[in-house]
Amino acid sequence: MVIEARPSRRVTGSEAARIAKQMYGLDATATPLSGEYDDNFRLETASGARYVLKIMRPGCDRAFVDLQIEALHRLAELPVPRVVDSVKETGDGRLVWLLQWIPGRLLTEVRPLTNQVSASLGRLLGKIDHALEGWNRPDAHRELKWDLARAPWIRDYLRYLPRNRPLVERVLDRYEAEVAPVLGQLPQSVIHGDANDHNVVVNGNEIALIDFSDLHYTATVCELAIACAYAACGSGDPLGSVAQVAGGYRETHPLEDRELQALLPLILTRLAVSVTNSAYLKTTHPAEYTSDLYLSVHETPAWIALEKLAAVHPRLGRYALRGVPTTLPIPKDAAPLLENIDLRKEPYIVFDLSVGSLMLGADPRAMEMPALAETLAGKMREARVRVGIGRYNEARLLYSSPLFGTGHPTEERRTIHLGIDLFAQPGTPVCAPLDATVHAFRNNQRHLDYGPVVILRHETGGNTFFTLYGHLSLNSLEDLCIDQPIAKGQRIGWIGAPPENGGWIPHLHFQIILDLLDLDCDFPGVAFASQRELWLALSPDPSALAGIAATPQEPSKTETLASRRALLGRNLSVSYRDPLKIVRGWMQWLYDETGRAFLDLYNNVPLVGHSHPRVVEAVERQIALLNTNTRYLHDNVVQYAARLTALMPDPLRVCYFLNSASEANELALRLARAHVGREDVIVLEHAYHGHTNTLIDISPYKFDGPGGRGRKRWVRVAPLPDPLRRDDPSAGLEYARAAGSLIDGPITFIAESLPSVGGQVVFPPGYLAEIYAQVRASGGVSIADEVQVGFGRLGRWRWGFEMQGVVPDIVVLGKPMGNGFPLAGVVTTTEIAASFDNGMEFFSTYGGNPVACAAGLAVLDVLEQEGLQANARVVGDHLMSALRGIMMSALRATDPPSIVDVRGAGLFLGIELRDGDLASDAVHRLRHRGILAGTDGPRHNVIKIRPPLVVTREDADFFATTLTDVLATNGHE
């Protein structure tokens, strides 16, 4: 195989625009698009019409263009480009043709791929291959380096590989042994042949395929193999990704078993061809390699995917791509697993050991020995049972062995329990449920956290399967030997005690296995959630064989999302393209239903950390005694008011307590209007203050947004200070005077001390001092909305208004003051409180109740005693420095730069990116890398950082490093 040389000179945009005008009469700008040999351009006219202009390589055969055009005509009912006009020829003999532009985003721009997108891609390719079945042209039989039927050409180029040449050689050997002999006998057809990220367009839920320049006649299954190879690149779970694409493909184009047998080796071969081609061009044509988006971006992900997929057991790979075909009839007359304990007749208790277990709670100490052992033993004593059951298919955070994952907390770990646990006294005899033969055993105490383990082989109903027994005692194995017959009900060992049983609470781990994959005693008892269905198919539910009812399961994320959509209002939004189901929170970490950890840099409400034990304890202690309304005297509310006002400057000395920030802002407006005697309000552009009717009326973010009804006559909207002028002394006076020009009598001014929804804005010096002075001169009052930034989040300042050196007339506080427990507050002056005391009673049934105030008091204790304001300053300064370093690097590396600004204080930071799409994509990629962030600002292009105040420098470094990588690989992960 000779690698075809690329054109030495590429057509420029101005030349393409001239050709479009001459050939098709289009006045359009021309933007270059990716292309390996041909020159492709997006044309856009003044009216907004868009096309694709294809200028073929010099010497291109007309039949090759006709081949693509006929294929597109055959696929006209599918989402592929339409041919707009006839083929033309330039003066130098290059063929030119015009295609419809398909709107949307390239697949590379929406990575990481969701399962839905991957499956949709597979379904589309299946439809395309189905539509092209039986179509053949002589010019489709091409000598193409990407044709997997010609893959052995890379053997002559392996010397260019910079690393791991033996791996590529093994892949080639496997191809020649397993694929080459049968490839010509498999179904053949013309295929698209290049479903890479730059040739797939995503528009909402629709998938389209473009660029048919790699059409060729070959084994049809190669279409799927090529798409799977690209799907595996950049995926944290390559096997799962290819399984999703293959599953979608099979829905619209079923595959024969022999095609499925060849699929994984073909995927590996496609990756091997890719890395070899890249290595060759990097060595011999470095400039071409560097400028080629396909090669330079995909090379490293291709190596990673190749290494991971090559390590997959061949049968496991086939199961992933086609499903586990074996069914297992469970005999109904199985013997009890535990001697003299028949669970069909004897009561037992089922434990919840899941990630979201209410029994265990969020504190990791509850999952450590001996605390966990005592918890389970206590529950068994209360229930008066001899056996406790640990559930099958349960996601757990209990596993700490290096086997289950030792990387960063956000990296995926094995969490899905593939068997059941029978907790019982150590020394309890364990028996075979069916006739069997000893297949394997091992007495390594620490092995796989199983401790001593026995595997039995069973033959029943024409099926062979295995059962595994873990956490036995060492003497269980003394009399066993391989291939030893075991009769049903025969004792095979005893439940072990720690430490010989692997260090666990005494119990039997019991698991069914349909295919040991040559792993024997190394077969996992816990799986990665990303491969959950595959491993559950290999280890079906053993409950019936153990004599117990199938243990209940929590609803899946898909089921929960469906129920939410059916039962809750549709405009109750869900974060992220791939929604999260969060079931546990601990300090700065949130955990989904599979046990995946996410660093929470987004949720400002858990101020001192999710499930902080001191806040939890205070709430538990008080709610166990009393929770009632404030018509009754109670010390908690006055103690909290005293503590809170002591943290405020004079003259802020009167408190009101409520349940939410919306209620608090609503009350603040009532206080202001009672004092001013007028309803008129000045607010800032893009402000948001709550969800009640009145607060929507003073929130431009809402009343000027979708579904809004516009500004009310009594609302004046002042310009939001430009955050890029925050250090300009003249800007404060300029913007304050612009706001002051709206004053036409006594008025209320309300603003966040640092606007959050407005884009994490820091006011310029003197801004609040000047506008507050003008408002007071009018006889009005100023309200500081401190919901986002209060209680030390800013590090150097406890309150945001302190940053501007002012004291407001009314301060509004929100749920961070109760760490998420419903507690909000308003603090004002005695004078304004007196105006509000006008004869109309104020009452909030549960505002300031004893439990909420207990939470609030605990939060104040934690803030002070754990030095969290100082931590916000130290970690915030460290993160700010790192982010500004990233910004400076981005300014030098890209044009236009990806980062426009970094601003904020303490742990209230904003990272302004050049546009909303880039910010949305970055947040999407951060979520898939285990970091939760969000976007705000008028253009939704500001990534907001406002984590629990317990985050560490290490967390900050992790975020900075990940953000750097995300921005550098934007669209190419």
Side-chain angles (χ1 to χ4, degrees):
M1 171 75 64
V2 177
I3 298 180
E4 184 179 351
R6 301 185 185 194
S8 58
R9 179 184 176 278
R10 307 310 290 252
V11 176
T12 66
S14 59
E15 290 172 327
R18 178 177 52 79
I19 291 172
K21 173 67 173 175
Q22 291 177 348
M23 300 290 183
Y24 300 106
L26 292 173
D27 284 312
T29 58
T31 304
L33 302 172
S34 298
E36 188 175 12
Y37 294 103
D38 305 318
D39 292 304
N40 305 310
F41 295 87
R42 182 186 72 214
L43 301 179
E44 184 165 3
T45 68
S47 65
R50 289 183 170 186
Y51 306 91
V52 174
L53 181 70
K54 296 185 71 69
I55 305 173
M56 306 306 290
R57 70 201 77 171
C60 177
D61 190 340
R62 173 62 184 262
F64 174 57
V65 177
D66 291 341
L67 170 71
Q68 297 178 65
I69 291 174
E70 185 175 347
L72 291 171
H73 286 322
R74 286 177 173 270
L75 301 173
E77 300 302 315
L78 296 175
V80 298
R82 307 287 184 268
V83 180
V84 175
D85 208 328
S86 60
V87 179
K88 312 285 187 181
E89 187 173 329
T90 64
D92 59 358
R94 296 184 69 170
L95 300 175
V96 180
W97 49 307
L98 195 66
L99 290 170
Q100 170 199 46
W101 172 264
I102 293 186
R105 306 177 71 193
L106 295 179
L107 194 61
T108 187
E109 297 171 352
V110 299
R111 276 187 176 268
L113 306 184
T114 64
N115 289 343
Q116 292 83 355
V117 169
S118 297
S120 294
L121 173 60
R123 282 191 287 271
L124 174 59
L125 291 172
K127 290 177 182 178
I128 287 173
D129 288 346
H130 180 74
L132 295 180
E133 273 183 341
W135 176 59
N136 194 1
R137 286 175 54 126
D139 35 283
H141 295 256
R142 306 167 56 195
E143 185 176 355
L144 186 68
K145 68 179 177 180
W146 301 115
D147 182 0
L148 288 175
R150 305 173 187 270
W153 70 263
I154 66 172
R155 275 209 190 272
D156 295 334
Y157 293 82
L158 296 185
R159 64 185 182 276
Y160 294 102
L161 291 173
R163 63 174 183 174
N164 220 342
R165 174 173 172 174
L167 171 60
V168 177
E169 289 176 332
R170 288 195 299 273
V171 169
L172 271 180
D173 291 343
R174 184 173 174 186
Y175 171 90
E176 290 174 342
E178 299 179 26
V179 178
V182 301
L183 195 60
Q185 303 165 25
L186 301 180
Q188 309 281 307
S189 66
V190 176
I191 66 170
H192 174 275
D194 194 22
N196 73 69
D197 292 3
H198 296 272
N199 290 339
V200 179
V201 177
V202 182
N203 190 357
N205 295 322
E206 299 297 321
I207 298 278
L209 192 64
I210 61 175
D211 192 353
F212 280 68
S213 61
D214 279 335
L215 279 171
H216 62 285
Y217 190 86
T218 190
T220 309
V221 71
C222 292
E223 181 89 276
L224 177 57
I226 292 166
C228 286
Y230 281 110
C233 292
S235 170
D237 174 27
L239 185 61
S241 296
V242 303
Q244 290 295 328
V245 177
Y249 186 93
R250 296 199 318 269
E251 290 179 26
T252 55
H253 193 267
L255 295 171
E256 299 177 5
D257 187 65
R258 54 184 181 157
E259 292 178 291
L260 285 165
Q261 293 274 359
L263 182 53
L264 183 57
L266 282 168
I267 295 170
L268 293 169
T269 303
R270 180 62 179 81
L271 290 167
V273 171
S274 179
V275 298
T276 305
N277 183 66
S278 294
Y280 166 73
L281 291 176
K282 181 189 276 189
T283 304
T284 60
H285 299 75
E288 185 176 312
Y289 168 86
T290 303
S291 64
D292 191 305
L293 200 60
Y294 291 94
L295 301 177
S296 58
V297 170
H298 282 116
E299 182 184 14
T300 297
W303 270 114
I304 294 171
L306 179 62
E307 289 161 359
K308 288 185 176 181
L309 288 176
V312 173
H313 189 285
R315 291 201 301 278
L316 181 64
R318 288 199 291 273
Y319 293 147
L321 295 170
R322 71 180 182 188
V324 182
T326 308
T327 57
L328 181 65
I330 300 296
K332 297 182 179 180
D333 59 345
L337 286 173
L338 303 181
E339 192 171 85
N340 298 321
I341 302 178
D342 188 346
L343 296 177
R344 295 175 180 84
K345 303 174 183 177
E346 183 166 330
Y348 52 83
I349 182 173
V350 177
F351 293 126
D352 181 358
L353 301 175
S354 70
V355 181
S357 170
L358 294 174
M359 179 183 73
L360 299 179
D363 193 333
R365 293 173 297 183
M367 291 182 284
E368 296 173 355
M369 311 302 176
L372 179 58
E374 180 52 39
T375 297
L376 301 189
K379 294 291 184 182
M380 290 171 66
R381 286 193 299 270
E382 290 175 14
R384 297 183 179 181
V385 296
R386 291 193 289 172
V387 176
I389 303 297
R391 296 184 295 175
Y392 169 76
N393 188 21
E394 183 174 62
R396 299 173 172 179
L397 290 175
L398 303 177
Y399 306 106
S400 58
S401 163
L403 169 75
F404 301 104
T406 56
H408 193 271
T410 59
E411 293 181 7
E412 186 181 22
R413 300 175 50 167
R414 296 179 190 266
T415 58
I416 307 302
H417 193 228
L418 298 177
I420 60 169
D421 296 321
L422 276 64
F423 294 92
Q425 288 295 315
T428 301
V430 176
C431 303
L434 304 168
D435 291 338
T437 302
V438 176
H439 178 80
F441 58 86
R442 188 174 292 172
N443 61 4
N444 182 339
Q445 292 175 235
R446 296 290 178 183
H447 177 68
L448 290 181
D449 271 7
Y450 282 149
V453 60
V454 172
I455 296 178
L456 301 181
R457 183 173 65 251
H458 306 271
E459 306 286 345
T460 179
N463 293 309
T464 299
F465 68 96
F466 305 86
T467 51
L468 182 149
Y469 309 79
H471 302 293
L472 302 177
S473 62
L474 285 171
N475 61 358
S476 300
L477 313 178
E478 292 175 353
D479 298 326
L480 294 181
C481 61
I482 301 300
D483 292 331
Q484 174 185 342
I486 300 291
K488 181 174 73 173
Q490 180 178 336
R491 183 184 300 169
I492 58 172
W494 294 265
I495 290 178
E500 72 173 24
N501 71 343
W504 264 80
I505 302 165
H507 74 285
L508 171 69
H509 172 92
F510 177 62
Q511 182 175 345
I512 294 175
I513 303 168
L514 300 184
D515 185 339
L516 281 166
L517 302 174
D518 304 318
L519 294 172
D520 291 345
C521 292
D522 290 329
F523 196 91
V526 183
F528 291 109
S530 59
Q531 299 176 356
R532 187 176 202 157
E533 297 307 318
L534 174 61
W535 288 98
L536 291 176
L538 286 170
S539 283
D541 190 348
S543 298
L545 191 56
I548 64 173
T551 52
Q553 303 291 319
E554 289 81 9
S556 68
K557 181 170 76 173
T558 301
E559 292 168 336
T560 300
L561 182 60
S563 296
R564 177 184 172 115
R565 287 172 172 166
L567 299 170
L568 303 183
R570 286 285 182 137
N571 55 352
L572 183 64
S573 62
V574 178
S575 296
Y576 306 108
R577 298 171 189 164
D578 181 12
L580 286 167
K581 181 177 180 179
I582 298 297
V583 299
R584 181 178 186 266
W586 177 251
M587 306 311 280
Q588 67 269 46
W589 301 99
L590 289 173
Y591 297 82
D592 71 9
E593 81 286 2
T594 73
R596 173 82 184 275
F598 294 86
L599 177 62
D600 183 7
L601 300 182
Y602 182 43
N603 292 287
N604 67 306
V605 173
L607 185 73
V608 299
H610 296 280
S611 307
H612 194 291
R614 294 183 64 179
V615 180
V616 170
E617 181 185 5
V619 169
E620 287 179 339
R621 191 168 54 239
Q622 181 59 55
I623 204 167
L625 176 65
L626 172 71
N627 195 28
T628 188
N629 63 62
T630 50
R631 291 192 192 277
Y632 305 103
L633 299 181
H634 198 277
D635 290 329
N636 281 8
V637 66
V638 291
Q639 288 176 5
Y640 185 71
R643 292 276 300 274
L644 182 59
T645 53
L647 300 175
M648 292 280 179
D650 285 329
L652 298 168
R653 288 294 175 263
V654 180
C655 298
Y656 300 85
F657 295 116
L658 307 105
N659 300 297
S660 71
S662 288
E663 290 179 273
N665 267 321
E666 182 87 20
L667 175 60
L669 280 180
R670 289 181 61 192
L671 287 163
R673 286 166 170 171
H675 187 70
V676 173
R678 194 164 177 245
E679 67 178 353
D680 298 62
V681 178
I682 296 176
V683 298
L684 297 182
E685 293 173 318
H686 211 68
Y688 172 70
H689 295 287
H691 62 77
T692 66
N693 284 338
T694 301
L695 297 181
I696 288 174
D697 287 342
I698 66 164
S699 296
Y701 172 73
K702 289 293 187 182
F703 68 64
D704 280 339
R709 297 184 177 180
R711 182 179 63 86
K712 293 289 173 49
R713 59 172 180 76
W714 44 269
V715 176
R716 292 126 170 89
V717 180
L720 179 68
D722 183 349
L724 298 181
R725 297 183 64 191
R726 61 184 173 276
D727 297 323
D728 180 356
S730 66
L733 186 60
E734 176 186 331
Y735 280 102
R737 286 177 174 171
S741 69
L742 303 174
I743 298 174
D744 59 354
I747 202 163
T748 298
F749 173 76
I750 181 171
E752 292 180 277
S753 300
L754 284 83
S756 178
V757 171
Q760 313 293 88
V761 175
V762 178
F763 290 139
Y767 174 72
L768 285 184
E770 177 65 23
I771 186 60
Y772 278 17
Q774 293 185 55
V775 168
R776 284 171 177 152
S778 77
V781 299
S782 294
I783 301 172
D785 184 334
E786 291 274 335
V787 172
Q788 299 287 338
V789 297
F791 292 96
R793 174 169 294 282
L794 299 179
R796 286 174 174 77
W797 303 273
R798 178 178 285 115
W799 311 112
F801 57 78
E802 292 177 330
M803 194 173 180
Q804 288 271 307
V806 297
V807 177
D809 302 299
I810 302 173
V811 177
V812 176
L813 306 169
K815 284 185 284 293
M817 65 197 295
N819 211 49
F821 198 90
L823 174 63
V826 176
V827 185
T828 190
T829 67
T830 55
E831 182 183 6
I832 291 175
S835 297
F836 186 58
D837 186 12
N838 57 9
M840 180 184 290
E841 180 192 26
F842 167 74
F843 183 65
S844 172
T845 302
Y846 279 101
N849 68 73
V851 179
C853 289
L857 287 165
V859 167
L860 294 181
D861 288 341
V862 171
L863 285 169
E864 178 183 351
Q865 295 167 19
E866 297 186 9
L868 295 188
Q869 183 175 345
N871 188 66
R873 175 179 58 81
V874 171
V875 176
D877 287 352
H878 178 72
L879 180 54
M880 175 71 83
S881 176
L883 292 174
R884 285 183 170 161
I886 297 171
M887 180 178 71
M888 296 309 297
S889 297
L891 286 171
R892 292 189 294 268
T894 59
D895 184 22
S898 55
I899 300 181
V900 175
D901 188 31
V902 176
R903 54 182 175 261
L907 290 173
F908 182 82
L909 303 177
I911 307 161
E912 184 173 346
L913 303 188
R914 66 172 178 260
D915 59 57
D917 285 343
L918 182 60
S920 176
D921 288 343
V923 166
H924 172 64
R925 290 187 174 87
L926 287 169
R927 170 253 187 271
H928 280 272
R929 300 282 285 271
I931 297 175
L932 303 184
T935 60
D936 254 329
R939 296 191 297 129
H940 303 285
N941 64 326
V942 180
I943 298 177
K944 55 186 176 183
I945 305 301
R946 48 179 200 181
L949 303 190
V950 294
V951 293
T952 65
R953 285 172 63 104
E954 291 75 19
D955 298 329
D957 289 339
F958 171 59
F959 169 64
T961 300
T962 306
L963 180 65
T964 301
D965 189 38
V966 161
L967 293 177
T969 58
N970 180 54
H972 310 309
E973 285 196 87

